[in-house]
Amino acid sequence: MKFVVITLCMFTMAFFFDPWTPLVFWVSVLLLQILFSQIDWKKWLLFMLPFFIMAFGYFWTTLVFAKETTGPIIWSFGFVHVTEIQLDHALSLSLRVLAFSSLSLLFALTTNPVTFILSLMQQLKLSPKIAYGILVGFQFLPVIKDEFIQIQQAQRLRGVVQKKNAIQRLFATRLVLIPLLAGAVRKAERSAFAMEARGFTGERRSSYFHVISVGKVDALLIVLFLFVLVFSCTNTFWLG
């Protein structure tokens, strides 16, 4: 339900080009996170930092290189003349980046991946082949990370010289990636054999050990997000 309502909010916000709608929506999403979630705000700021830089880039480049230069000039610096239309477009693009990124982080930081995949299987009838493939791949990520470090350490013990140039280090990563890829392929084959040996056919199930149900909390979440969406899209009426 959270995935559906967040996707609906993103598609709806894509049709609004004024700066106030994404601003109100972004502030409302932050309030929802503060009031109803228990996320690590240090991690949130770390993940949001690239999006802040991207939003500033959109803002600056739209002001400087915008095609629409008609209208009253509100600020000038050298050869750069900023009109009201340019400022509205720049603010709209940058605030949309912040609104979409905050929604994505809200979903990522408050969602258990395993529970989400099980819910997709039960509520949206996702194919078990795709679902279990995603789960297996997700479980492999920390293993691949550990193997990457182990291969690097083994190569250093065998006398592989660490390159100082950034370009040389980039080309030297193939010495790590090739054995890492070979090990990943072997693990994928063993996982496939193990699933077949345990009777996994990929057919849809009628019953589940861990049942994901839709309850009152999901309904409340939908109501809150729809209220925020409607309030943001009608901000000119509410805020004048």
Side-chain angles (χ1 to χ4, degrees):
M1 296 298 103
K2 182 165 52 175
F3 172 74
V4 170
V5 74
I6 285 179
T7 304
L8 175 64
C9 290
M10 284 189 172
F11 275 107
T12 304
M13 292 297 297
F15 292 96
F16 289 85
F17 300 97
D18 63 291
W20 289 105
T21 301
L23 175 62
V24 174
F25 187 78
W26 181 47
V27 173
S28 301
V29 170
L30 292 181
L31 288 177
L32 288 179
Q33 286 181 311
I34 294 172
L35 295 176
F36 300 108
S37 67
Q38 297 178 350
I39 64 175
D40 186 355
W41 287 100
K42 292 182 179 180
K43 183 187 295 185
W44 184 88
L45 287 174
L46 180 64
F47 287 146
M48 276 295 294
L49 183 60
F51 297 108
F52 281 123
I53 297 174
M54 187 186 304
F56 178 76
Y58 271 111
F59 178 78
W60 175 248
T61 54
T62 305
L63 285 182
V64 176
F65 303 107
K67 293 183 179 180
E68 185 64 49
T69 58
T70 59
I73 296 176
I74 59 177
W75 180 71
S76 296
F77 181 76
F79 66 92
V80 179
H81 304 287
V82 180
T83 64
E84 186 176 352
I85 296 178
Q86 285 177 268
L87 182 61
D88 285 345
H89 288 173
L91 288 174
S92 176
L93 287 175
S94 57
L95 290 171
R96 284 167 108 195
V97 170
L98 296 179
F100 289 170
S101 58
S102 62
L103 267 181
S104 302
L105 282 181
L106 183 146
F107 180 81
L109 297 178
T110 61
T111 303
N112 187 321
V114 177
T115 307
F116 175 57
I117 295 298
L118 292 176
S119 181
L120 287 178
M121 290 177 59
Q122 299 176 28
Q123 314 299 335
L124 298 183
K125 307 304 179 183
L126 180 67
S127 171
K129 291 182 179 180
I130 300 176
Y132 282 103
I134 295 174
L135 288 177
V136 171
F138 182 77
Q139 296 294 329
F140 274 170
L141 289 179
V143 177
I144 292 177
K145 176 185 175 182
D146 294 338
E147 286 193 354
F148 182 82
I149 297 174
Q150 292 173 3
I151 293 172
Q152 280 187 325
Q153 293 174 346
Q155 290 180 349
R156 289 173 186 170
L157 287 174
R158 291 178 177 132
V160 176
V161 180
Q162 192 74 16
K163 305 295 183 180
K164 295 183 179 181
N165 191 351
I167 298 178
Q168 292 177 344
R169 285 202 302 268
L170 181 62
F171 283 105
T173 53
R174 71 181 188 277
L175 300 176
V176 180
L177 293 180
I178 292 176
L180 187 66
L181 179 62
V185 170
R186 287 195 295 268
K187 286 184 176 60
E189 290 179 349
R190 287 198 295 266
S191 298
F193 292 149
M195 293 172 73
E196 289 181 358
R198 286 165 175 78
F200 179 77
T201 60
E203 298 178 355
R204 300 187 185 277
R205 298 183 177 184
S206 57
S207 61
Y208 296 90
F209 176 75
H210 186 192
V211 179
I212 309 295
S213 59
V214 179
K216 296 180 180 179
V217 177
D218 301 289
L220 179 61
L221 177 75
I222 294 175
V223 171
L224 282 175
F225 268 98
L226 291 181
F227 173 78
V228 167
L229 182 63
V230 173
F231 178 76
S232 302
C233 296
T234 58
N235 65 86
T236 54
F237 175 76
W238 298 104
L239 303 178

